[in-house]
Structures are given as structure tokens and as C-alpha cells.
Amino acid sequence: MSFPAPPAMMGYDRSTSMFSPDGRLFQVEYAMEAAKRGWTMVGVRTAEGVVIVAEKRKTSPLIDIGQLEKVYMVDEHIGAGFVGFGSDGRVLIDYARLLAVQYKFVYGEPIPVEYLTRQVCDLMQVYTQHGGVRPFGVTLMIAGVDEAGPKLYVAEPSGQYISYKAHGLGQGGSQAVEVLQKEYRDDMSLEEAILLGMKAVTTVMEGKPSTETLEVGVVEAKTRKFRKLSKEELQKFLEKLGA
Amino acid sequence: MSFPAPPAMMGYDRSTSMFSPDGRLFQVEYAMEAAKRGWTMVGVRTAEGVVIVAEKRKTSPLIDIGQLEKVYMVDEHIGAGFVGFGSDGRVLIDYARLLAVQYKFVYGEPIPVEYLTRQVCDLMQVYTQHGGVRPFGVTLMIAGVDEAGPKLYVAEPSGQYISYKAHGLGQGGSQAVEVLQKEYRDDMSLEEAILLGMKAVTTVMEGKPSTETLEVGVVEAKTRKFRKLSKEELQKFLEKLGA
Amino acid sequence: MSFPAPPAMMGYDRSTSMFSPDGRLFQVEYAMEAAKRGWTMVGVRTAEGVVIVAEKRKTSPLIDIGQLEKVYMVDEHIGAGFVGFGSDGRVLIDYARLLAVQYKFVYGEPIPVEYLTRQVCDLMQVYTQHGGVRPFGVTLMIAGVDEAGPKLYVAEPSGQYISYKAHGLGQGGSQAVEVLQKEYRDDMSLEEAILLGMKAVTTVMEGKPSTETLEVGVVEAKTRKFRKLSKEELQKFLEKLGA
Amino acid sequence: MSFPAPPAMMGYDRSTSMFSPDGRLFQVEYAMEAAKRGWTMVGVRTAEGVVIVAEKRKTSPLIDIGQLEKVYMVDEHIGAGFVGFGSDGRVLIDYARLLAVQYKFVYGEPIPVEYLTRQVCDLMQVYTQHGGVRPFGVTLMIAGVDEAGPKLYVAEPSGQYISYKAHGLGQGGSQAVEVLQKEYRDDMSLEEAILLGMKAVTTVMEGKPSTETLEVGVVEAKTRKFRKLSKEELQKFLEKLGA
Amino acid sequence: MSFPAPPAMMGYDRSTSMFSPDGRLFQVEYAMEAAKRGWTMVGVRTAEGVVIVAEKRKTSPLIDIGQLEKVYMVDEHIGAGFVGFGSDGRVLIDYARLLAVQYKFVYGEPIPVEYLTRQVCDLMQVYTQHGGVRPFGVTLMIAGVDEAGPKLYVAEPSGQYISYKAHGLGQGGSQAVEVLQKEYRDDMSLEEAILLGMKAVTTVMEGKPSTETLEVGVVEAKTRKFRKLSKEELQKFLEKLGA
Amino acid sequence: MSFPAPPAMMGYDRSTSMFSPDGRLFQVEYAMEAAKRGWTMVGVRTAEGVVIVAEKRKTSPLIDIGQLEKVYMVDEHIGAGFVGFGSDGRVLIDYARLLAVQYKFVYGEPIPVEYLTRQVCDLMQVYTQHGGVRPFGVTLMIAGVDEAGPKLYVAEPSGQYISYKAHGLGQGGSQAVEVLQKEYRDDMSLEEAILLGMKAVTTVMEGKPSTETLEVGVVEAKTRKFRKLSKEELQKFLEKLGA
Amino acid sequence: MSFPAPPAMMGYDRSTSMFSPDGRLFQVEYAMEAAKRGWTMVGVRTAEGVVIVAEKRKTSPLIDIGQLEKVYMVDEHIGAGFVGFGSDGRVLIDYARLLAVQYKFVYGEPIPVEYLTRQVCDLMQVYTQHGGVRPFGVTLMIAGVDEAGPKLYVAEPSGQYISYKAHGLGQGGSQAVEVLQKEYRDDMSLEEAILLGMKAVTTVMEGKPSTETLEVGVVEAKTRKFRKLSKEELQKFLEKLGA
């Protein structure tokens, strides 16, 4: 070999606990690739609450899509979704649920959304710094309402999280973000937020949007309760979108 | 070597706890190959219950095929089968049985089917993220009936599970799925489900179908009891199939 | 190197806890090679009992062949033999004995043959899935009689076990199986089973069969007791075989 | 390969716990590269207190930049910031907070700034000397006031820390240091220090400085309290800077 | 490299816990090479007792050959010797002594010779199956008398042991075995056994046999006591041998 | 590759716990390289006490050089300095302090200087013999006075320590040693020792010597107390040196 | 590479816990190289006692050679020296001291010399058989007097020890052995033994022998006490030697 190989070919990308000469962590960047291959997911935050809209795909005609969950309740006041490696995501959702239950048990009140997010991210960070493991191959979206109002966090495989007003993830993520940037307003009502989220997802999704291929989770600021929209509600919103 | 080797040749596929540059986990994908080499297995879910139909092969004339089990009772209300690496599958079935017993002991009631599936999948996920081990080389099919009705889950080496109305696994899996897609109806009776499952398997299996080379496990919605069909029952169904 | 090397040359076969791209575990397959190099061993099961016949070789004139054991008592009702790596086999036999003693101590009754086999196989499976160890380099033959009647199991390095009516292992194993397939009948008497087993072994063994180079263990269905044939009994059977 | 490859290509840089022939630790040096890629941060210390000024960037229009923290309260009398790998930095900040709380609990008084810095650095050092982990990919800036007066420490991935009168980190760090060297005076008032820090950052930052893209944390010598400047205060300082 | 390298060159021989494609354990085979390089040692068993005869070499004129032990007392009724890696052998001899003491303490009677041998071999087996260690580089010869009469076991690095009437080890081992095969009789007296053992060793040893370069350990069947022959006894036997 | 590569290129230098064919430990030798890159430090021992003189450099105009410590108090009667990897040295100094405190607590009297040195060196040795860690990248200079009089030890990364009358370390170390060899006398007064140490350092240091760029620690034999010279004292000595 | 590389180049020498194809442990052999590089050391044993004579070198004019110890007291009746890697040797000497103290505490009498030697060697053996560590890079010389009279043991990195009447180690070791072989007599007085040991060392040492460059430890048979010769005694012996 008569000239240096490109950095990614010299072994720096084959161990989690190693920096490349330019200070990058390849395994963490590769884990983000896993996340980018997920189905599209969008989150929208307004003063009235937070919304997560997720695309679902019927990969097989006999799949029981009604049982296929893309948006999860973490605690009464928090919902979450993820894109990427399915079982990794489930493990993190379960970890988040455990954290929420423990917090309520110890402090007698609901876990603050950011505190929960940080705890989950601390676990994710550990998997980027120690040998013998790989990073989690998912990007999480955590939506909730607490004393400090509605929150929308996006947590990456590196363990870093960022607070967004609205954001898109997965295969159609960047396109969805364009829709959001054009139409997001700080003073939107919760209904407008739901409609915007659904529009961003349906614009980029592969098949025809329907009550079966969309899942919407909402946490209202007033009630501080997470719930998923029913098929009927979804249908109404779809009609309003003219989809 | 004057040009980059294909990713699968650069070592990313030689460690479980490592992502390839495009965010894939090769060892998990290879484990799925092990699963694909198993004998055909089909599951069918209807409102009246769930069925697992498994092909058995007499690899040697003196093998005691009567003792060869492909469908296992996990708990009174849950049965399961697997395709792939035999001893890996047995270990997971035993783990599932232990989970079911513990649950009943602690909560005094039968373990929910999805909860059991998730616990087994969590173990499988751990074996995809930590070094020094390999993923389980099997795909599981878990069939049961609980408060929420009949369930049919398929759990992959990655630790991901999906709910199906009907599905096929193993060497003849994809062909079997074609049969299922053509003939599955949501309103089938349990008997029709058994017949469909047997048809899907017998269509693709190598040798002549017989009461010796087929195993059928059923969980009826009414009784919530898992049982295997007797040779006599099998014979009757074979005759109905005209096989 | 201008073209991809064959899979077995790319390192997949140098770690236990790793799948090859086509879902194989090379180290487990190599361990089976170790087993194939052992001296011939045959098992025959009938309604009246189970028999293990083993070849012994006098590798040195001063070896104390009388002390050379190829068939072991595991418990009063169970015997076993193995082909392959000698000390690995001894460790597993000792483990099986320990399991049998513990079972009797805890439950007050003899350990079921399949339960014992499964426990031993679970240990073998662990050595195929975790790093830092190698699989056991032996194939075990376990013969016993319990409540469910006579049993003959063959357990492979993978940790998988299969129930046989009759089977052959080791260097002359496949030839012995041919003999067995031709002459095995379900309704054989125990004496006929012993004669068949001895015929299968003596047909393929290297030197002249004698009371010194053959070892035969028997578990009778009636008594549920394992015992080895005496030199006198062996002599009589040899005469009947015309050997 | 007919001549020695450059040291960085021979594997010395692929393990934390290894010296290169000339006594360097490449992984630690690479970790400093990660730190150099962060956004600009400046610290200024005077007799009247210490200031940390941090640049914030709106990487996406819908990012909730108000929630994006670059300067953190560690204890009542200590603030800190970092450049580099986000989640690594958060973990260290949390570790520092824990140390501060424990110290106050055990000794009943605020933790000395250098003692806290040294404890954090000891953790960082461990990650440079032991295998199976990587160094922390951040450079920390710790500002505080204790019995010994105002303090400004900069802690590197190696675990080494240095006391500065004023310093700059991140992408614009070296340019910012030039500004500081020209204008720093030992007798500056706290207000002058804030203005100098802001000038150093705004001179080198990419976008237009605003109350949204700047964060300023101050620990006053008199009160020994850390606080962040409000938007109004920031606005006034920006006006004074003529920015 | 244009054609496959021989198996021993592909890395299978560089880890204990790994099989080669043909089911061999190279590290164990290499350990046997270490054993073959030892000085000659011979064991002879008769109805009247067991003998171990060992060659000693004066590698340096000032070596204190009187202190150089090649035959060790393990317990009152058991002696042992080894060829190969000196400190490995010593560790195993000490382990054997410990086992003997513990057995006597727990059961109040002398440890059976085969039981002791098996326990030592189990330790040796562990060092062939687990990573991070190497096999013991010695072959042991264990001689003793218990309830079951005189015993002579040879234990190899693999952890396998074989019962012999007479055997030879080390550099002159195979030649010594030829002598033994020609002259060994089952009805030898103990004295004849000693003479035969000494003849087998002196025939193959390098220098002139003397009371200084030979060590003989004997366990008499009658007394069940291990003892070493005195210089005077050795001298008499040497004279009888005409050496 | 047609001829053997030089030893340092064959991997012996890439693991701490490995000897090269000629019995060297490359990682330890490389660690000494790290130490050689430090700033100059000199120690001088006389009957009246021990002195450590250290060079300090103002690597940046805004560095708070007054806080930059190169000579540390370990206990009341012991001081120490080091050259090499800063955070490694700090960890060892802290370890030495802990040892001193523990000793005083347990034995009620000051820790002997050599005992302390040996304990620190034992820790350093461990890091040269075990895998998964690297040696400490520093050479320590430990100066103290105990019952046995003034002591000056130099401890290397290998864990070896040597007692010196006077010695020099770091970039200017070998030149400083030349100065010491020419002018050292056993009957020097403490003041002469200080002057000699300062001369040796100032002769080789880069910038102009000043009270800011020199640090001097002294342990007087009479008082057995470590203290650092004040700026005023330093100034006087500098004047005497004519620097 | 067109032909097999020499064994030492194929990686067998890069791991402690691995045999080469011809049954050698390269790392242990390399550790012996480290020992061969030490300064010359000689031991002589007579009926009247044991002597260790060690060369010391003044590697630097300001080294405090009076503090440089080459012969150590282990217990009142045992002395020891070593050649090779300094800090490794110190660790073993300290371990030996600990063993001696513990023995006296538990049994109330002085530790037998061989027992102590064996314990130290057991530790050394462990470091040759387990991964993640390297062998100790020293050869020890242990001299003592106990119930069984004067003893002189030499312990190698492998953990093997040999009893000698007289022996030489280090750079001049083999030459010194020649001197010893010519002049050693079993009936030497202790004084003659001291003179012989000193002659063997001074004949081969680099510089001029003096009371400063020689260290002599003696254990007298009568008193069973270890002591070092004083400068005056050394001077007298040097004069007798005519050196």
C-alpha cells in the first residue's frame, strides 16, 4: 500500500471507544445511519401541547398493523417514539418507563421531561465510551408536559439531546423539516400542530396516508396527559388535510 | 489491495457490537441466515384461536421422530416454535417457560403473551449489543391467548418482534406466505385456520406430508389452552386437505 | 489478494461467538470433526432396554486396557459414552453424574433421562455462544430407562440432542449406521439388540473383536439398572456373532 | 511495504493505553481535536469575578435555542462550560455537580474551585490510562469564586488543568485569545471583563451576535454567586460593544 | 499469498480455546511437545507395587544434584513425576498434594489414586478450554497403591489420563517403551520391576548412570507406602544391572 | 516483506505486558520519552537539606503562572516534582499524599522518605506488568528529610527508583547534570545547594530566569519541613547568581 | 510472503499464554534475556554458610551508590539478590519478605528457605500461564540457612528454581561460573567462600573493584543470621584478593 488509506479504512471505525485522528467517533456516526433508515417521524410543540406523528408501513399484508406501535406512552405525561434499530429502541423506551416509575415512587410526583431525557441519554453515552458494546442504533423523540410547560426533545445515539419546537426524523426527515420550517408558528393551537405534523409526514411518506399507516400521540398542556388519537380522530384530521 | 474492499469484508461483520458504515449489524443479519435454513413453520391467527404448523424431517431412518418436537408448550395458554439453530432455540423456549412460571407465581395469573414475548426479546437484544457473545441464531414464533385475545408474535435474532395474522418461516417460509396471503380471511374458524396452516406447509415441504412429518399446536380462544393435535386429528385434517 | 477468500479463511471460523455470512458457526462444526475422529460407538434401543457398544483400541501393548473405560455409569438407570476429545467427555460425564445425584437428593427419585440430557446440552450450548471458550469436542450417547421407558439420546457439540432408535458414532459411525438400518426392528429383544449393536461395531472396527476390545453397557427396561456385560457374557455374544 | 510507515499509522494511535515511540498518547491528542471543533467559548477572570462567554448556533430554524445551554451552574459559586463532544461534556458537568453536593454535605461548606477541578480531572485521567475506554472528548472551562478568590481553570482531555487569567476555546479559540491578549488588564472591572469576553467571542463567531446566540455566565467575587446574564443585560452589553 | 497456507499457519494454533478445521487443538499438541523435551522417565506396575524411575542430569558442575527432585511424594501412598515445563509440573504436584490432604481431612482415609488423578486432570482440562490461559506444559506420571491395588496413570496436557502397566516419557521415552515391551511380564516381582525400569532408563540416558543421575520412587503393594530408594539401594541395583 | 522488520516494528512495542526478544519493555521505554519532554527540573541533596528547582514556562501570556505548580508538598517533611505527562504526575502526587496521611494516622509518625517512594514505585510497576493499562508517563523527583537524614529519590516509569546526591530531569536534564557534576560538593551548605540547583536550571532554560519562571522547594535537615521559596527569596538568589 | 517465517516471527512470541509449535514459551525466554543484562552476581554455598556477592555500578557520578542495594535481607536468616528488571525484582523481594513475616506469625518459627523460594516461584509461574500479564523479568538468587543447613537457590522467570553449590548471574555470569568451577571445593570455609565469590565477580566486572562497587551478603551457618559485610571487612577481603 503506497499511500495512506482513508481514515475510515484504518480501523478507527471498528471500535466504539476510539477517536479518529480528527476527533470523530465513527461507530457513533454509523449508529446515526441506522437511525436515518427508519420510517418518518415528526414532532411539533406549541404552547397548547406536544404532538408526535409517526408513519407506519405494512411490510407484509398479513402483518397485524394495529399492534404495530410507533408512539409509546412513557408515563402519564410523556410519550416517545424512535427511528432506527427496533429492539434497541424498545429497550430504551422500557428504560424510560422504569425511570418514570422510580421517580414517582421516590419523589411522589411526575418526572420532569428533561430529567428523564437526560437519564436516558446518560445510558446512551456510556455505550459510546466503553469497549465491548456498541452505541444504541436509534434516535429518540420524547414529548411531554411538566411544570415548565410542553417539551420536545430529540436524543441521538451519541447521548446528546436537543430541544426542538418541531423536528423530523427518519427517511423522510429532512423533507419533513422543510415543511415544518415553512409553516410552523409559535402561536399554533394544538389542533393546528397536529395538522402540521400530519401534513409533514404525509407529504413524504411512501404509500397513501390512512388511519392504519399513521400513528399520532399527543400530550395536552392543560391536562398533562399523553394519549393517542383514535381512528375516528385520525380520520377527521386526514379529511381536513384533504389527504 | 488497490481499491476498497466491500464492507462485509472489512471486519464490520466479525463483531456483534459494531455498526458498519451504513448502520447495519452484520452479525445479526447473519444470524437471520441461520434461521432461514430451518424447516418450514407457519402460524395462523383467527378470532377462534392460534395455530402453529411445523414440518418435521426424518434425517435418518432410525431417528425417533415421535420424540422430535418442533412445537413446544410454554405455558398452559402459550405455545411456541422456532426455526434455526436448535440448541439456541431450546434455551430460549426454556427461558420463556421460566418467565411464565415466575409470572404466575408472583402475580397469580397467566403471563400476557406480549409481555412474555418482550421479555424473551430483551434477552435476544442484549446478545446483539454486547461483546464476547453472538446473537441467538433463531427466529421464534409465539402463539397464545390471553385477556386481549389470540396473539401470534414472530421474534427475530435482533430482538425485534412483530404481531402477525399469519406468517411463514424457514426454508419454505416465503412460499408459504404466498399461500397464506391468497387464502387468509379474518373471519376464519379455528378449523379453517388449521387447514390453511397445514396447506401452506404441505405445499412447500420436501417429502410427503404425513402424521409423522407434521406437528400442529393450537391455542383455542375459548379454553385458552395450548395442545398439540393427535395423530388421529392430524390424519383427518390431512384427508380434508386431500393430501 | 485479488478475489474474496473462501469464508472459512476470513476469520469467521476463529471465534466461537460469531456467525459466518451464511449463518454457520464454524467452531461448532470443527468440534464435530473432533468427535468424528473417535473410535466407533453404537447405541440400540428396544422395548426391553437400551444398549451402548463401544470399540476399544490397544494403542500400546502395555496400556492397561482393562482400566480403559468407554461406557460410563451416570446413575443407576443411565449409562453414557462419547466419541471425541477424551478429557472434554470426562468432564461432561462427571457433570451428568453430579446432575443425577443432585436431582435424586432434591426430588427423591431418579432423574428423567431426557431432563438429564437437556441439562448437559444446555452447558454445551453455553460454550458455543460465549467468547473466551471453545465448544466441547465430543458427541455424547446417553442411554437410560425411566418412567417413560427406554431412551437413547445423542448430544452434539452444538448442544442439540436427538432421540434415536439406533445410531452410530465415530470413525466407523456411518458404516455402522448402514448395518443398523438394514437389521433394526422395533420388536427386537434386548439380546437381539446387543447382538445387533456388537455386529455393527465389529463389522467396522480395525482389529479383531475380542472381550478386550469391546465394551457393552446395558440398561434393562424391567430392572431400570445400568450394568456392563462381563467378559464371559461378551464372549458368549461374540461366539453367537461367529466373530 | 518497503519503509517504515509514519508512527500514527502503526497502531499506536488505536489504543488509549499505549505510548508511541516518542512518548505521545495519540488517542488523547485526537480527543483534543474533538474539542477544537466546538463553538467558541471564552473565559475572563478579574479581581471582581469570573466570566464565561459562549457562542450558540441555531443549527436549525426550529431548534429551541432558548433551551440550548452552553454555560452550566455547577454549584452556587461555580459555573462551567465545555467545547467538544456534547454528551461527554454533560456527563462531566453532572459529575462535577455531584462532587459539589457531596462536598457540601460532608464538610458543610462550598467546594473549593480547584479541588473540584482536580477531582473531575482525575476521572478524565483514568480514561486515558486504562484499556476498553476512550478519553473524554471535551475541554472544560470551570469558573468560580471561593475563599482564595476568583478562579478560571481549563481542563483538557488528558486530565491536565491550567489556571488562566483569560482563555479561549473551540473553533474561534486561538483568534479569541489574540483579542484577549491585546486587551486584558489585571485591573479590569467585572463589567469590563464581560465586555472583553463578549468582544472576543463576537469578533470570531460566524453569524450576527444577538441575545439568542450568546450565553454569558458570571460569578461575582463579592457575592460568590453564579448567575447567567438576562436577555436585557445581554442586550445592553451588546449595545455597548456596538455590535 | 496465492494459495491457502497450511492450517497451523492460519492462527488456529495461536489460541487455546479454538478448534482447527479438522477438529484439532494445536495449543494442546504444542504443550505435548514441551513434555517430550523432558528427561527420560519410566513407570512400571506389578502386583507387588509400582515404580517410577527418573533420569537426572547435571547441567552444571556446581548444581546441587542431590536437591534436584524428579520423583515426588504426593501422599503416603502416592508418588509422582513429570516431564516438561518444570514450574508447571511443580504447581500440579502441589495441587495434587493439596487434594490428598483435603481428602484425608474430609473422609478420614487415603485418597484413591484414580480419583486424585482425575481431579488433577480436570484442572488441566480447564486450561485447554478457556481463553486467556495456556495448557500445562507437562505430562504427569502418577503411581500409587490403594484399596484397588497398584496403579500407574499417565496424564497428558489435554487432561486425559491412561492407565498403564508400564510406560516411558520424555526424550528417551519411545526407546524406553521398546525395552519395556520386550521384557515386561505381568508376574514380575517388585525388584524385577525396579530393575526393568532402571534398565529402560539407563539404556537411553545420555551420560553414565550413577546413584547421582537416577532417582527411583517405589510404592509397595503390601505397605502402601511411597519411598525413594537410598543411594545404597540404587548402587546395588546398578550393580545387578551391570551398569 | 523480504527481511525481518526491526524489533520495534513487530508489535512488541504495542503492549505493556510483553517482552521483546532481547528482553526489553518498549512501552516503558516510550513512557520515559514522555518524561524527557518535560521542562527542566533539578534536585540537590546536602547534609543541611534537599532542594528541588523547577523551570516554569509561560506558554500563553494570559496563563496564571502563579498558580502553575511544579513542586508539590507531599507531607510536612517531603516535597516532590515530576517531568512528563501532567495528569499522570498529579495522580501520583495525590497517591503519595494519601500514603503519607495514612502512614501518619496508623503509625503516629512521619512516613520515611524511601518507604513512601517505594510504595509509589510499586504502583508504577503494576502499570508495567499488567495488560489493559499503560505505564505512568512521568519521572518523579522526591525530596525529604527523615530520621535517616536528607534524601533525594528519582523514580522512573518502570517503577525503579535511585537515590541521588544531585540529578537533573527533563529537556535540559543532561546539560544540567553536567553543571551539577562540575560543581557539586558533599559539604555544601543548603544555600549553596539552592544556588547550584538554580544555576543548573537557569543555565539550560529557554527564557530569561525570573521569580515567575522558577519554582524552588526546600526541605531543611534541621526543621524537617518542606517549604517553597518566596518571590523575595528567589529574587535574592537570582541576584547572587548574577542572572 | 513466499515461505514460512521463522517461528519467533509468527506471533507465538507475542503472548505469554501460548506455546510455539515446538513447545516453547517465547515470552518466558525473552524475560530471561532481561535477566542476562543485569550486573554480575555470584552465590557460593559451603557448610559454614552462604554468600552473595554483587557488582554495583556508578552509572552517574552523583548517584548515591551507598544507597544502591543489590543484596537484600528477606528475613533474619535469608538474604537475596536479583539480576534483571529492577522494579520487578523489588516487588518479588517485598513479596518474599511478606511471606517470611506471615510464616513466622503463623508457625512461630523462621520460614524454611526452600519453602519461601517455592512460594515466590509459584507467583512467578502464574505470570507465565495467564493472559494479560508478562513474566517477571528477573532471575533471583536466594541464600539462607535453616534446619536443613545452608541453601542457595536460583529462581528463573519461568518459576523454576534450582539448588546450587555456587552460581553466577548477569552480564558476567557465565565467566564467573568458570572461575567458580575451577576453584570451588565442598570443604571451603566461609571466608574462602567469600573470597571465591568476590574473585569471581571482580574478575569479570567492568570497573575497578572497590568497597563502593561491591556488595556482599552472608548468612553464617552457626548463627543463621544474614548480614552485609562492612566497608572495613570488604576492604580486608579486597586486599587479600590483591585487587
Side-chain angles (χ1 to χ4, degrees), chain G:
Chain G
M1 193 193 300
S2 55
F3 56 92
M9 284 179 58
M10 293 187 65
Y12 301 114
D13 57 343
R14 248 153 289 168
S15 169
T16 302
S17 54
M18 205 168 292
F19 285 104
S20 72
D22 54 346
R24 293 165 64 193
L25 292 171
F26 281 114
Q27 273 297 308
V28 172
E29 298 184 8
Y30 296 171
M32 294 187 71
E33 289 302 315
K36 280 189 197 148
R37 287 215 311 267
W39 303 338
T40 308
M41 176 169 291
V42 155
V44 182
R45 191 192 81 185
T46 76
E48 288 183 21
V50 213
V51 183
I52 295 177
V53 181
E55 177 192 7
K56 301 203 307 191
R57 290 195 200 153
K58 203 155 183 172
T59 48
S60 146
L62 292 174
I63 219 169
D64 178 12
I65 206 169
Q67 291 260 337
L68 187 72
E69 227 180 349
K70 291 299 292 176
V71 182
Y72 304 82
M73 177 185 279
V74 170
D75 200 353
E76 285 206 341
H77 61 308
I78 302 177
F82 61 85
V83 293
F85 209 52
S87 46
D88 284 21
R90 192 188 62 238
V91 165
L92 288 177
I93 294 291
D94 284 347
Y95 181 64
R97 285 168 171 164
L98 185 65
L99 289 170
V101 166
Q102 287 176 337
Y103 192 94
K104 203 178 283 171
F105 180 79
V106 173
Y107 299 105
E109 50 186 52
I111 193 168
V113 187
E114 187 179 10
Y115 182 80
L116 175 100
T117 306
R118 197 162 66 225
Q119 299 281 101
V120 172
C121 283
D122 283 355
L123 184 70
M124 292 170 90
Q125 192 273 345
V126 165
Y127 277 77
T128 74
Q129 195 174 17
H130 295 81
V133 294
R134 57 167 175 82
F136 283 90
V138 291
T139 297
L140 287 169
M141 194 169 259
I142 299 176
V145 177
D146 57 21
E147 296 282 322
K151 304 277 183 188
L152 178 65
Y153 293 106
V154 172
E156 295 180 349
S158 68
Q160 189 156 22
Y161 65 90
I162 292 173
S163 171
Y164 280 97
K165 294 178 176 176
H167 198 55
L169 300 173
Q171 287 174 0
S174 46
Q175 272 177 275
V177 166
E178 284 174 29
V179 175
L180 294 172
Q181 290 184 1
K182 244 179 286 171
E183 309 202 4
Y184 181 84
R185 297 185 334 269
D186 280 338
D187 61 353
M188 292 175 114
S189 68
L190 186 56
E191 199 180 299
E192 287 172 315
I194 294 171
L195 277 167
L196 176 55
M198 285 176 70
K199 182 173 174 187
V201 170
T202 54
T203 303
V204 304
M205 71 193 279
E206 281 189 355
K208 201 185 134 41
S210 73
T211 60
E212 222 180 23
T213 57
L214 281 174
E215 192 170 15
V216 179
V218 176
V219 195
E220 217 182 332
K222 227 168 25 192
T223 58
R224 293 192 194 168
K225 297 281 178 242
F226 171 86
R227 68 182 191 87
K228 293 202 205 167
L229 295 197
S230 66
K231 293 223 162 194
E232 292 69 34
E233 291 173 299
L234 272 180
Q235 189 54 43
K236 280 187 205 154
F237 281 110
L238 280 173
E239 284 161 12
K240 283 190 188 166
L241 275 176

Side-chain angles (χ1 to χ4, degrees), chain F residues 7 16 26 30:
Chain F
T16 302
F26 282 114
Y30 296 171

Side-chain angles (χ1 to χ4, degrees), chain B residues 8 13-14 27 30-31 33-34 37 61-64 67 85-88 90-91 127 132-137, chain C residues 10 12 17-23 25 45 118 121-122 125 128-131 151 153 158-159 162-163 165-166 181:
Chain B
D13 55 344
R14 248 154 288 169
Q27 273 296 309
Y30 296 172
E33 288 303 313
R37 288 216 310 268
L62 292 174
I63 219 170
D64 178 12
Q67 291 260 339
F85 208 54
S87 45
D88 285 21
R90 192 190 63 238
V91 165
Y127 277 76
V133 295
R134 58 168 174 79
F136 283 90
Chain C
M10 293 187 63
Y12 301 115
S17 53
M18 205 168 293
F19 285 103
S20 71
D22 54 346
L25 292 172
R45 191 191 81 184
R118 197 163 65 224
C121 283
D122 282 355
Q125 191 272 344
T128 74
Q129 195 174 17
H130 295 81
K151 304 279 183 187
Y153 293 106
S158 69
I162 292 173
S163 172
K165 295 178 174 177
Q181 290 184 1

Side-chain angles (χ1 to χ4, degrees), chain A residues 46-69:
Chain A
T46 75
E48 288 183 20
V50 212
V51 184
I52 295 178
V53 182
E55 176 192 7
K56 300 203 309 189
R57 290 193 200 155
K58 203 157 186 170
T59 49
S60 146
L62 292 174
I63 219 170
D64 179 12
I65 207 171
Q67 291 260 337
L68 187 72
E69 226 181 350

